[in-house]
Amino acid sequence: MIAQRTGTTALRRVAANPNAVFTSTFAKAAMSQMQTRQATTQKISATEARSILDAQRLNRPVSPHLDIYDKQQTFFGGSIWQRFTGSGLSGGLYVFGAAYLAAPLLGWHLESASLVSAFGALPFAVKSGVKFLVAWPFAFHAFNGVRHLALDLGMFMKRQQIVKGGWYIWGASFVSGLYLAFFL
């Protein structure tokens, strides 16, 4: 397809402005071998054009409104939280990366030693809470990502399996987040 387009473009250029190698007769003969599609147009009034467009719109499929969907669907919760956790983790990484690059210019101290000493000075409850706020989205995103891959492969598609899988993901990510926050 690309080669055909390239050839057609080259032939058109040669036909428009033949050089010493090609003669205009050769280019016109080559152009006559191309496939063409005859299209005819007709002039119509604006009201006729509007009526044709309205008739075409009657045959087009209409996107359903969100109100027709079952609110008890279990796909939506894990899917939207997958997006939230991924956006939060990547957004946090970008913000920290930009702050780390700008730190020398702004006089901030974001070196590893400064961060470790500042974090170590916090009370245990605050440290654990901050660690959980980072660990839980990471664990949820990892577990739910594997679940999404399984669903994409057509596995566990029965409603009961989807509900159980969702609860397993929430439970496993919560337990993993607690483990990462308190024991690592």
Side-chain angles (χ1 to χ4, degrees):
M1 186 72 138
I2 294 174
Q4 182 181 5
R5 287 183 185 166
T6 305
T8 304
T9 303
L11 287 174
R12 286 183 180 150
R13 287 182 183 162
V14 168
N17 188 12
N19 60 16
V21 176
F22 296 108
T23 64
S24 62
T25 309
F26 174 75
K28 288 180 183 176
M31 290 289 289
S32 67
Q33 298 298 320
M34 289 191 324
Q35 294 178 350
T36 58
R37 181 177 17 176
Q38 300 297 328
T40 59
T41 59
Q42 57 185 359
K43 295 230 178 224
I44 57 173
S45 67
T47 56
E48 289 174 326
R50 183 66 182 182
S51 66
I52 292 171
L53 183 62
D54 289 340
Q56 289 174 349
R57 286 184 177 158
L58 291 175
N59 296 326
R60 292 182 189 165
V62 178
S63 178
H65 193 270
L66 289 176
D67 286 343
I68 71 159
Y69 294 112
D70 182 15
K71 303 296 186 272
Q72 300 299 319
Q73 279 293 333
T74 56
F75 292 102
F76 301 136
S79 181
I80 195 67
W81 277 101
Q82 181 77 4
R83 291 182 176 100
F84 287 160
T85 56
S87 298
L89 290 169
S90 61
L93 180 67
Y94 284 125
V95 167
F96 179 76
Y100 189 79
L101 289 174
L105 300 173
L106 300 174
W108 298 344
H109 293 284
L110 294 180
E111 306 90 23
S112 298
S114 301
L115 294 176
V116 168
S117 63
F119 195 73
L122 295 174
F124 178 75
V126 174
K127 282 193 282 192
S128 299
V130 169
K131 285 169 64 177
F132 181 77
L133 287 176
V134 173
W136 176 80
F138 180 78
F140 182 86
H141 195 76
F143 289 135
N144 202 37
V146 173
R147 178 178 178 231
H148 265 281
L149 289 175
L151 289 173
D152 288 343
L153 292 173
M155 301 165 62
F156 314 116
M157 292 299 287
K158 293 183 181 174
R159 186 171 177 85
Q160 186 177 9
Q161 292 171 330
I162 293 170
V163 171
K164 281 185 181 179
W167 284 109
Y168 291 153
I169 296 300
W170 283 96
S173 64
F174 185 75
V175 170
S176 296
L178 288 175
Y179 175 77
L180 292 170
F182 288 103
F183 297 113
L184 287 184

